[in-house]
Amino acid sequence: HVDLFRTYLQYIRTIKEGKPDFKDSVIKAFEFALECVGHDIGSTSIWTDFISFLKAQATTSNFEDGQKMTSIRRIYQRAITNPMHNVDALWREYEAYEKGLNETLAAGLLKEHHSRYLSTRTTYRERKVNYQGIMLSALPVPLKGTEDERRQINLWKSVIQFEMGNPQKLDEKQLASRITYSYKEAVTNLYHCSEMWYMAAKYQIDQNNTEGTQMLFEQAIHAMPRCMLLHFAYAEFHEARKNVKVLNTGPYQMVS
């Protein structure tokens, strides 16, 4: 969750305060946070905190001034292509930043990125509609088969189907990352839903991501150790890969 990573970032800033590697450590922490939750529709605060952090760093030479300017520009340009809350405000900030540096250069750069921003804004509005009704802050408790639970499952399926349509026109690798993140969101929210865990693992299988599939099945079985669907699916996954070592251990001896 975004809030968890904001806490993590604050922790890194606290323990590294006053140390020689403070700046590098915090930048690495921000990049790690963006890698993990930067796709989130609610990740705006991490992007803006990163930009604010970079802007606050002191420089001692023209060379460092140039590096700082380039770093801030790159984060802005990455942020405005991420469909998330307040992307309009981020675009206005970026416009002001470029114009404050050089009006002439800004005209060309803003023209280049404006169409990307417009596409991002359109995707954000569509994505926001798909997220309406999802209880993102709900505690992941065992399901009881209620209508409200089924509605949440169906809403998450709609989100994933929307992302599979590739509204951002991402390349193959970026799209897989986007969809994988959506599945991670879904299984975090629906931690005790075997159907969602299975769908997430099946997507990784379809992507030929053996490591990702293995990790998801392990997490799923940890979440739902008594779910035979997940155990059988996990055994089938290893059987297809002739992984005899796994099939000859524990409950999978019976399955194989």
Side-chain angles (χ1 to χ4, degrees):
H1 285 296
V2 172
D3 287 342
L4 178 63
F5 276 90
R6 291 198 71 187
T7 301
Y8 160 74
L9 289 166
Q10 186 56 52
Y11 169 74
I12 294 297
R13 293 175 78 156
T14 300
I15 65 170
K16 291 293 182 178
E17 186 69 45
K19 295 183 179 180
D21 63 342
F22 171 73
K23 178 181 175 181
D24 289 343
S25 295
V26 174
I27 288 175
K28 287 179 182 177
F30 268 115
E31 289 291 0
F32 175 65
L34 291 178
E35 181 183 345
C36 293
V37 296
H39 286 302
D40 199 290
I41 194 171
S43 64
T44 315
S45 59
I46 293 181
W47 290 95
T48 55
D49 285 352
F50 194 6
I51 291 168
S52 296
F53 175 78
L54 292 174
K55 286 181 175 180
Q57 300 309 299
T59 58
T60 58
S61 67
N62 289 336
F63 175 73
E64 289 184 359
D65 285 341
Q67 283 189 316
K68 177 179 176 179
M69 177 186 67
T70 300
S71 295
I72 294 169
R73 176 178 287 140
R74 285 174 178 169
I75 299 302
Y76 266 127
Q77 290 172 355
R78 285 166 58 190
I80 61 172
T81 61
N82 190 49
M84 58 188 173
H85 299 320
N86 297 321
V87 69
D88 290 332
L90 261 174
W91 170 256
R92 290 193 295 270
E93 276 187 32
Y94 176 54
E95 274 188 312
Y97 177 73
E98 291 291 8
K99 289 177 180 178
L101 294 174
N102 186 307
E103 283 275 1
T104 304
L105 180 61
L109 284 170
L110 294 173
K111 182 179 179 181
E112 177 186 349
H113 289 278
H114 189 252
S115 60
R116 298 173 191 173
Y117 153 67
L118 291 178
S119 177
T120 299
R121 185 175 66 175
T122 299
T123 302
Y124 163 69
R125 290 173 177 173
E126 294 170 351
R127 181 176 288 169
K128 184 180 179 182
V129 170
N130 278 278
Y131 273 87
Q132 286 178 353
I134 291 180
M135 299 172 65
L136 291 169
S137 60
L139 293 174
V141 297
L143 303 185
K144 297 179 180 179
T146 66
E147 286 298 319
D148 284 344
E149 289 169 348
R150 174 47 56 184
R151 180 171 179 269
Q152 289 299 304
I153 293 169
N154 288 336
L155 285 171
W156 276 113
K157 286 182 177 180
S158 295
V159 167
I160 291 164
Q161 195 62 40
F162 169 73
E163 298 299 348
M164 284 185 169
N166 196 10
Q168 290 178 256
K169 303 296 184 290
L170 304 172
D171 63 36
E172 188 175 334
K173 184 177 179 181
Q174 291 172 327
L175 178 60
S177 178
R178 172 67 250 181
I179 295 170
T180 295
Y181 181 76
S182 294
Y183 271 120
K184 286 181 178 179
E185 277 191 300
V187 296
T188 299
N189 193 250
L190 299 169
Y191 191 67
H192 298 281
C193 178
S194 59
E195 181 182 5
M196 196 57 67
W197 279 111
Y198 178 76
M199 288 174 60
K202 182 65 167 58
Y203 177 74
Q204 295 305 317
I205 292 173
D206 293 343
Q207 295 298 306
N208 295 314
N209 185 353
T210 300
E211 184 179 346
T213 305
Q214 170 83 19
M215 180 181 69
L216 267 169
F217 270 127
E218 288 176 355
Q219 291 173 340
I221 290 169
H222 177 77
M224 306 185 69
R226 296 183 181 181
C227 179
M228 293 309 296
L229 166 67
L230 295 174
H231 280 290
F232 276 112
Y234 187 43
E236 184 180 20
F237 164 71
H238 283 293
E239 184 178 18
R241 287 153 185 79
K242 310 297 182 185
N243 194 342
V244 179
K245 183 178 179 181
V246 172
L247 294 173
N248 286 337
T249 60
Y252 306 110
Q253 288 178 308
M254 176 187 70
V255 175
S256 58

